[in-house]
Amino acid sequence: MATESMSFEDAHQCKFVPIQPWEHSGKPFKGFARVTPVDVEEMMESEPFGIEESIDEVLNVCTEDLYLDMRERQIDYVSPTCFNPTASYLPYRRYLVDWMSDVGDQCRLHTTTIHVSILYLDKIFRTRDIPRSQWQLIATACISVAAKYEEAEEHCPPIPDLLELTKLSNAGHTSLSFREGEVEVLRHLGWRLRAVPPLHVIGYFLAKGAIYQDDRWQGRSLIEKIPKYVKKYAEFFCNLTLQEYTFQQYYPTQLAAAILMASRVALQLEPHWRPELVRLTGYEECEIAKTFNHVWNYYSEQFPGHGNRSTSPKSVAEGFS
């Protein structure tokens, strides 16, 4: 800790004051022999940048407990053990994802709701052979069920509006038959609707603070808008990886950590990973290296040249606004 310099005359005039007992500081003393590398890391950690108030204090809860709960529940929908790269619907999955995203946008649903609805669809389609004649009905029912679980009630699209928007009414479906489709979705999901997409996890990371005071942006100090651009990149990578089923071979929390790292790399934030992020995410850099490379290579394939060129926050804002 830096201290102000004191002249000899000032020091000469100072009176001797006995050292106060340590307990007056409010912190327990830890002798030198008991200080560990972890203790040193904690003392040297940087404060989050752009976070005015702790999310724990705002919500009056320990959000780390919520993250632990996400890590436990994430395997209900996505994990290496339930990854099925031979599922029969996969050649058509990209079209389903794009269609469901478009329906969600027209219904003005949150992006997280659409991500959850697609996880519902994936869980059903990878384990059951659903006739193609029912795909549109099941996909729409997944959107409706996800909206009822994720959104406020007033934001849930009315069934008649959904039927008209998706043209299911032209195929002879009524509100009653659609209700039956929703019940079928619920049965397929075992009535367990808590899905954890990476976008949920990213929201937690950013709310806690994933950029730090001593981070460097292109070799310079951070500017005020950096957190906004990290958020834009992170959401972009979440949407990008949602389109490709192979990313479901990773746990959502692991993929979210890799996406956070990709966002920092894309904005040329240094260091790319740091002890504070290990503490935040629970993942060492070596544990997400493979996932990060998958994300970055896919990004480079879909947007040739972007992965190799310098990107400024201004260009990010223009590209994703």
Side-chain angles (χ1 to χ4, degrees):
M1 180 181 296
T3 57
E4 295 182 358
S5 61
M6 179 183 292
S7 67
F8 176 79
E9 290 77 16
D10 293 334
H12 182 71
Q13 295 175 3
C14 288
K15 296 181 180 180
F16 174 76
V17 178
I19 297 177
Q20 298 298 315
W22 187 264
E23 58 266 25
H24 287 184
S25 68
K27 295 182 180 180
F29 174 72
K30 183 170 287 191
F32 288 107
R34 296 164 58 190
V35 174
T36 67
V38 174
D39 298 321
V40 175
E41 269 189 7
E42 289 180 359
M43 290 185 288
M44 297 179 64
E45 283 187 356
S46 178
E47 291 295 318
F49 178 83
I51 301 295
E52 297 181 356
E53 191 174 3
S54 166
I55 188 65
D56 292 53
E57 294 177 0
V58 172
L59 300 178
N60 197 29
V61 297
C62 178
T63 54
E64 291 181 7
D65 290 341
L66 301 179
Y67 181 54
L68 291 175
D69 184 65
M70 283 193 284
R71 293 193 67 159
E72 291 178 2
R73 292 175 179 265
Q74 64 183 343
I75 60 176
D76 286 347
Y77 280 85
V78 180
S79 73
T81 56
C82 62
F83 178 62
N84 182 11
T86 62
S88 60
Y89 80 104
L90 290 182
Y92 311 96
R93 182 182 179 277
R94 176 65 180 271
Y95 300 105
L96 287 166
V97 170
D98 289 345
W99 183 83
M100 293 173 72
S101 299
D102 184 55
V103 171
D105 287 342
Q106 293 189 56
C107 292
R108 298 183 179 181
L109 298 176
H110 289 100
T111 306
T112 51
T113 301
I114 298 305
H115 283 227
V116 167
S117 71
I118 292 169
L119 290 187
Y120 288 172
L121 182 90
D122 283 328
K123 183 171 184 176
I124 295 170
F125 278 38
R126 71 169 176 254
T127 57
R128 292 171 174 80
D129 188 14
I130 305 295
R132 290 188 62 179
S133 59
Q134 295 184 22
W135 283 12
Q136 189 177 10
L137 173 63
I138 297 298
T140 308
C142 285
I143 294 173
S144 181
V145 172
K148 291 172 181 176
Y149 189 80
E150 295 284 324
E151 303 270 349
E153 183 177 357
E154 60 269 20
H155 293 157
C156 295
I159 290 179
D161 293 351
L162 266 180
L163 294 177
E164 182 177 355
L165 175 63
T166 60
K167 309 299 182 184
L168 284 173
S169 56
N170 294 345
H173 284 288
T174 64
S175 295
L176 182 59
S177 64
F178 186 77
R179 292 285 188 190
E180 294 173 354
E182 287 181 314
V183 171
E184 184 177 355
V185 165
L186 291 168
R187 287 172 178 165
H188 286 323
L189 298 178
W191 298 83
R192 295 172 64 89
L193 303 181
R194 177 72 183 280
V196 182
L199 190 57
H200 272 329
V201 185
I202 283 292
Y204 166 77
F205 291 162
L206 297 181
K208 293 286 283 187
I211 309 102
Y212 299 90
Q213 298 285 352
D214 59 357
D215 278 338
R216 304 292 289 174
W217 167 60
Q218 298 182 351
R220 295 171 288 181
S221 298
L222 300 181
I223 61 175
E224 183 180 355
K225 293 184 178 180
I226 286 294
K228 173 184 176 181
Y229 297 125
V230 170
K231 181 175 184 290
K232 283 181 177 291
Y233 253 122
E235 291 174 349
F236 164 75
F237 281 121
C238 284
N239 288 327
L240 183 68
T241 55
L242 181 71
Q243 298 172 354
E244 176 56 49
Y245 179 73
T246 56
F247 287 103
Q248 291 198 21
Q249 64 185 289
Y250 311 111
Y251 293 111
T253 52
Q254 184 182 28
L255 179 55
I259 284 173
L260 178 58
M261 184 177 180
S263 302
R264 291 174 62 90
V265 170
L267 278 174
Q268 300 181 20
L269 290 177
E270 294 285 351
H272 295 155
W273 205 247
R274 49 188 300 157
E276 293 90 341
L277 293 174
V278 175
R279 184 177 300 278
L280 173 66
T281 67
Y283 291 102
E284 298 281 351
E285 184 173 353
C286 62
E287 295 178 289
I288 60 172
K290 176 185 174 182
T291 314
F292 164 78
N293 287 330
H294 191 173
V295 172
W296 195 257
N297 290 336
Y298 185 68
Y299 166 54
S300 299
E301 290 172 4
Q302 299 298 311
F303 300 91
H306 282 249
N308 299 320
R309 75 185 187 191
S310 174
T311 305
S312 68
K314 182 179 180 182
S315 67
V316 176
E318 293 172 350
F320 304 135
S321 60

